[in-house]
């Protein structure tokens, strides 16, 4: 069995952006990456996040909201924060090999009816580039 790069996506609530990112990385390349997500202050998953993933044909199986502390015993090669607040609060993490800060607006706070679709598309584009860069190195 080949090594999968463990990646953790973090945002404050673990209710939308990080859940979407976790599902999209699994969907895009589950052979090379092991995706997880957590929040610095977790809240229940926003149903619109699950809806937009399912509409895009992305599995939502296994997604649930969790706190950063519940994953403190796991080692991640890459930690990707999805908002500035989470980036500031991620000093709790035990020495990941690489930390990337991606800043996406919270679709839950938007009045745009297509906010979740836009976030899904934006995160997916970033993940595709991330996968391309990381898999070319190997």
């Amino acid at each position: 069995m080949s090594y999968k790069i463990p990646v953790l996506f973090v945002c404050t609530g673990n209710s939308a952006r990080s859940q979407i990112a976790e599902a999209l990385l699994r969907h895009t390349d589950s052979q090379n990456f092991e995706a997880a997500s957590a929040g610095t202050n977790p809240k229940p998953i926003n149903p619109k996040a699950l809806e937009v993933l399912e509409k895009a044909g992305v599995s939502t199986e296994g997604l649930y909201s969790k706190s950063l502390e519940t994953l403190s015993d796991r080692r991640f090669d890459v930690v990707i924060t999805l908002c500035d607040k989470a980036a500031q609060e991620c000093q709790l993490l035990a020495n990941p090999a690489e930390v990337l800060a991606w800043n996406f607006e919270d679709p839950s706070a938007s009045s745009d009816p297509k906010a979740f679709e836009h976030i899904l598309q934006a995160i997916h584009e970033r993940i595709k580039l991330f996968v391309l860069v990381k898999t070319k190195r190997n």
Side-chain angles (χ1 to χ4, degrees):
M1 181 170 188
S2 65
Y3 178 74
K4 291 185 181 187
I5 299 168
V7 178
L8 175 64
F9 293 99
V10 181
C11 66
T12 50
N14 192 222
S15 63
R17 293 166 288 190
S18 54
Q19 296 288 344
I20 290 170
E22 176 183 352
L24 285 170
L25 182 56
R26 285 183 184 157
H27 179 78
T28 303
D29 190 346
S30 62
Q31 280 190 304
N32 293 304
F33 298 93
E34 181 185 326
S37 68
T40 57
N41 183 23
K43 297 180 176 26
I45 297 178
N46 188 312
K48 290 180 182 176
L50 298 175
E51 183 182 306
V52 75
L53 285 164
E54 290 167 358
K55 185 177 173 186
V58 176
S59 174
T60 59
E61 184 180 339
L63 293 180
Y64 65 97
S65 186
K66 52 209 149 308
S67 74
L68 203 50
E69 288 80 25
T70 63
L71 299 175
S72 64
D73 61 333
R74 289 188 51 196
R75 169 100 170 104
F76 293 95
D77 288 358
V78 182
V79 174
I80 301 173
T81 59
L82 297 166
C83 63
D84 288 340
K85 186 168 191 218
Q88 294 169 359
E89 294 175 2
C90 271
Q91 279 58 357
L92 305 171
L93 297 169
N95 302 323
E98 182 176 6
V99 178
L100 301 173
W102 299 350
N103 188 33
F104 292 101
E105 294 297 320
D106 183 358
S108 305
S110 176
S111 60
D112 181 353
K114 294 196 178 268
F116 281 86
E117 290 174 38
H118 296 313
I119 285 297
L120 179 131
Q121 291 168 353
I123 292 174
H124 198 202
E125 289 303 312
R126 188 78 56 95
I127 284 175
K128 287 189 283 187
L129 287 171
F130 171 80
V131 165
L132 182 65
V133 168
K134 289 295 182 188
T135 56
K136 280 210 182 259
R137 289 182 182 172
N138 297 338

